[in-house]
């Protein structure tokens, strides 16, 4: 029989086998829970009187079962401390189930996120307290699939002044980051047919996987030093596409900015074909050597789904993003969101609202921009011996903005396989350009360095490991 003890200080599910006798059944159930790890070492067990009451056993039966397990070494009992689970030698414990293997990385320069240690904890807590003290009565109920009106209103003002986005609160849908935003848009596009989406090549491989998972056919759109080749959209192979996804302000992973003429061509394509532009503005807040590039959405709001998140400004774990949706796709996107998870959690939305409306979010971004610019400059100092002069072996791309830099190798003799081997020798993790192409082949080689990733104290050691890696690669040529 299955029993619980809900009123004894701990909750634990036990399977008591009535055919083996009451005491033996309890002993076996406790042994199984300890061996399997469901009862961890030093967990405190209920008092014999409480457990007996909960399980419908006599107190003497429970005391006898405890005594037997104490004698076997499964439990310990101390005066005044009650009965607890003993620490068993390893050979007495069942082997744990294998979990995911995590990389043991000493120096992390992979792209993808901000310095997690720089999260504005004090400002976030202050904003959360203000939000909690003025919560509306409906906060703990199911909400509008689009998200809290407070956040959508705050985003309308913020995106307008900082990114040139033309938005209305009714047309914003709050999402759980960019991946859900892309999934919702793909689902909305495929409401009546299989959608075909052109995606940058090279680009984010996981985003391609998300779109495919939600039913899209993916067509690679080449990228060069001027960004996505939107001049190709009139070619026959692109005549059937429904949408184009672009990282126009700072292409991932090359760092190129979409050339103004190509922006015009992209908008012209959308207007003439009734197509959708999915604008992934993943790090538009971070500009160092040039003026910010405004969003394409501001020039064609009826044809652009503008997507932004706090993943690069605050942290991806918050799972907060947004779509500024063109009117024709609003209802399909809302319906897709309703069926995906009903709505994004509300407390985080209201906390972010407080950050934005008090301008604490702006202050954090400005501080982050200064910190990441300094880190970028240190990275450039590290790369300079190999990127300048007659003996240069690499070129640097995308340094004017963002949180990463693409380093391309000038020598065809140097392969990514060699690079991976050498970086592993120095416990250094980086991104690889080869992983970002749509199909395997003879593509340019390179590494993508995320200078925002390490904590502040670990950044100098990461750069030192990178220096050792580049020296070793230079000798490999």
């Amino acid at each position: 029989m299955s029993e619980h003890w809900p009123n004894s200080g701990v909750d634990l599910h036990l399977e008591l086998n009535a055919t083996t006798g009451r005491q033996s059944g309890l002993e076996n159930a406790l042994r199984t829970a300890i061996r399997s790890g469901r009862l961890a070492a030093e967990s405190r067990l209920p008092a014999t009187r409480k457990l007996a009451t909960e399980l419908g056993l006599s107190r003497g039966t429970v005391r006898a079962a405890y005594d037997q397990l104490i004698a076997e070494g499964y439990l310990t009992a101390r005066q005044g401390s009650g009965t607890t689970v003993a620490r068993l030698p390893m050979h007495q414990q069942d082997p744990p189930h294998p979990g995911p293997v995590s990389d043991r990385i000493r120096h992390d320069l992979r792209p993808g996120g901000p310095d997690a240690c720089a999260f504005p904890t004090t400002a976030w807590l202050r904003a959360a307290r203000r939000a909690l003290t003025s919560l509306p009565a409906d906060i703990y109920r199911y909400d509008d699939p689009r998200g809290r009106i407070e956040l959508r209103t705050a985003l309308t003002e913020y995106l307008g002044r900082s990114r040139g986005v033309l938005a209305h609160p009714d047309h914003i849908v709050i999402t759980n980051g960019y991946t859900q935003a892309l999934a919702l848009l793909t689902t909305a596009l495929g409401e009546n047919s299989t959608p075909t989406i052109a995606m940058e090549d090279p680009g984010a491989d996981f985003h391609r996987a998300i779109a495919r998972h939600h039913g899209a056919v993916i067509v690679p759109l080449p990228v060069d030093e001027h960004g996505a080749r939107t001049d190709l959209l009139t070619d026959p192979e692109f005549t059937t596409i429904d949408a184009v996804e672009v990282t126009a302000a700072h292409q991932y992973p090359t760092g190129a900015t979409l050339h103004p003429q190509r922006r015009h061509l992209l908008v012209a394509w959308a207007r003439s074909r009734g197509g959708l532009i999915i604008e992934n503005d993943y790090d538009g807040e971070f500009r160092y050597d040039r003026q910010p590039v405004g969003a394409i959405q501001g020039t064609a709001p009826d044809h652009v789904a503008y997507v932004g998140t706090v993943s690069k400004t605050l942290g991806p774990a918050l799972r907060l993003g947004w779509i500024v949706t063109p009117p024709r796709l609003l209802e399909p996107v809302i319906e897709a969101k309703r069926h995906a998870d009903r709505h994004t959690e509300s407390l985080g939305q209201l906390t972010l609202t407080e950050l934005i409306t008090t301008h604490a979010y702006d202050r954090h971004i400005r501080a982050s921009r200064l910190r990441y610019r300094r880190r970028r400059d240190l990275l450039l100092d590290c790369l300079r011996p190999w990127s300048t002069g007659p003996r240069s072996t690499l070129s640097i791309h995308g340094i004017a903005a963002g949180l990463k830099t693409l380093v391309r190798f000038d020598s065809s003799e140097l392969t990514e396989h060699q690079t991976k081997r050498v970086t592993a020798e120095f416990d250094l993790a980086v991104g690889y350009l080869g992983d970002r192409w749509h199909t395997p082949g003879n593509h340019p080689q390179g590494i993508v360095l995320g200078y925002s990733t390490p904590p502040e104290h670990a950044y100098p050691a990461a750069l030192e490991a990178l220096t050792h890696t580049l020296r070793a690669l230079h000798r490999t040529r």
Side-chain angles (χ1 to χ4, degrees):
M1 63 180 175
S2 297
E3 298 286 354
H4 298 268
W5 55 69
N7 300 316
S8 56
V10 295
D11 291 327
L12 179 68
H13 176 77
L14 289 178
E15 295 284 348
L16 302 186
N17 188 342
T19 63
T20 61
R22 289 173 175 257
Q23 180 180 330
S24 295
L26 178 57
E27 291 173 11
N28 290 334
L30 288 169
R31 283 193 199 94
T32 300
I34 294 170
R35 285 172 172 168
S36 66
R38 290 196 298 115
L39 266 179
E42 300 183 3
S43 297
R44 186 170 181 175
L45 296 187
T48 55
R49 186 188 303 278
K50 290 185 177 181
L51 183 57
T53 300
E54 294 296 334
L55 299 182
L57 303 174
S58 70
R59 187 180 180 189
T61 298
V62 175
R63 184 184 295 115
Y66 277 15
D67 288 344
Q68 179 61 33
L69 294 177
I70 290 170
E72 295 177 9
Y74 285 95
L75 302 178
T76 60
R78 296 186 183 89
Q79 187 69 30
S81 299
T83 304
T84 59
V85 177
R87 287 195 172 276
L88 301 181
M90 290 301 294
H91 69 273
Q92 285 188 247
Q93 300 182 33
D94 292 338
H97 295 291
V101 178
S102 59
D103 296 332
R104 295 178 179 177
I105 297 167
R106 290 180 58 197
H107 311 294
D108 193 355
L109 289 178
R110 291 174 296 184
D115 176 2
C117 294
F119 182 83
T121 303
T122 301
W124 185 265
L125 287 174
R126 188 182 300 117
R129 288 192 198 98
R130 282 196 296 264
L132 285 168
T133 56
S134 59
L135 288 177
D138 64 349
I139 184 64
Y140 299 111
R141 299 173 182 167
Y142 291 116
D143 205 352
D144 187 327
R146 291 173 295 181
R148 296 296 306 185
I149 184 61
E150 298 91 339
L151 178 56
R152 290 186 279 125
T153 301
L155 284 171
T156 298
E157 186 273 336
Y158 172 75
L159 295 174
R161 64 176 168 80
S162 68
R163 303 297 300 125
V165 171
L166 301 177
H168 187 281
D170 290 347
H171 290 174
I172 296 178
V173 177
I174 306 302
T175 69
N176 300 328
Y178 183 77
T179 53
Q180 186 184 56
L182 181 59
L184 297 178
L185 289 167
T186 305
T187 301
L189 285 169
E191 192 175 33
N192 299 313
S193 61
T194 300
T196 300
I197 304 176
M199 303 182 77
E200 295 169 331
D201 187 21
D205 50 329
F206 184 62
H207 294 167
R208 295 195 294 269
I210 289 291
R212 286 196 184 100
H213 181 76
H214 288 83
V217 174
I218 306 302
V219 177
L221 181 62
V223 170
D224 62 17
E225 66 274 15
H226 299 301
R229 291 286 307 277
T230 58
D231 55 306
L232 300 177
L233 292 176
T234 55
D235 289 2
E237 63 184 299
F238 294 101
T239 56
T240 61
I241 65 172
D242 303 291
V244 178
E245 187 220 24
V246 290
T247 49
H250 190 228
Q251 202 277 331
Y252 182 87
T254 68
T257 299
L258 190 61
H259 190 277
Q261 184 179 2
R262 293 188 181 177
R263 289 166 67 105
H264 296 321
L265 290 172
L266 179 59
V267 171
W269 165 84
R271 286 174 172 157
S272 64
R273 301 287 182 85
L276 176 71
I277 301 168
I278 301 174
E279 184 174 11
N280 178 5
D281 194 21
Y282 67 100
D283 66 355
E285 295 87 354
F286 298 110
R287 293 291 176 272
Y288 312 120
D289 300 330
R290 64 170 186 235
Q291 290 297 315
V293 178
I296 297 175
Q297 192 272 355
T299 65
D302 290 343
H303 297 280
V304 179
Y306 173 89
V307 184
T309 76
V310 301
S311 295
K312 303 299 184 288
T313 55
L314 294 174
L318 296 178
R319 307 315 300 144
L320 283 171
W322 48 84
I323 310 172
V324 180
T325 311
R328 67 183 176 89
L329 275 183
L330 181 60
E331 288 305 321
V333 168
I334 291 174
E335 191 66 11
K337 175 66 174 176
R338 181 180 290 110
H339 287 285
D341 60 1
R342 194 150 184 169
H343 63 82
T344 298
E345 68 90 12
S346 298
L347 293 180
Q349 293 186 57
L350 292 177
T351 302
L352 180 58
T353 301
E354 285 287 332
L355 280 183
I356 293 174
T357 56
T358 61
H359 301 296
Y361 188 59
D362 292 80
R363 291 191 292 273
H364 170 70
I365 290 175
R366 286 197 297 271
S368 299
R369 191 181 296 131
L370 292 172
R371 181 170 59 254
Y372 295 143
R373 177 169 186 159
R374 182 179 58 80
R375 288 194 184 193
R376 184 211 60 167
D377 292 345
L378 290 173
L379 175 62
L380 292 178
D381 290 341
C382 175
L383 296 173
R384 189 167 289 112
W386 289 274
S387 61
T388 58
R391 300 186 63 187
S392 65
T393 57
L394 55 84
S395 58
I396 306 170
H397 305 265
I399 62 172
L403 304 177
K404 58 169 176 44
T405 293
L406 171 64
V407 174
R408 281 183 171 168
F409 302 120
D410 297 336
S411 172
S412 59
E413 302 170 3
L414 193 60
T415 67
E416 253 177 40
H417 176 74
Q418 292 173 307
T419 307
K420 290 180 179 180
R421 177 178 57 79
V422 175
T423 54
E425 290 177 4
F426 293 99
D427 297 323
L428 176 66
V430 300
Y432 294 95
L433 183 59
D435 297 334
R436 306 297 182 250
W437 299 98
H438 282 238
T439 57
N442 186 23
H443 300 297
Q445 306 276 304
I447 57 176
V448 187
L449 303 174
Y451 48 83
S452 62
T453 307
E456 193 72 19
H457 70 274
Y459 191 59
L463 292 183
E464 184 178 0
L466 176 62
T467 299
H468 292 317
T469 298
L470 293 173
R471 286 174 180 162
L473 289 172
H474 184 73
R475 291 193 298 268
T476 303
R477 294 177 64 242

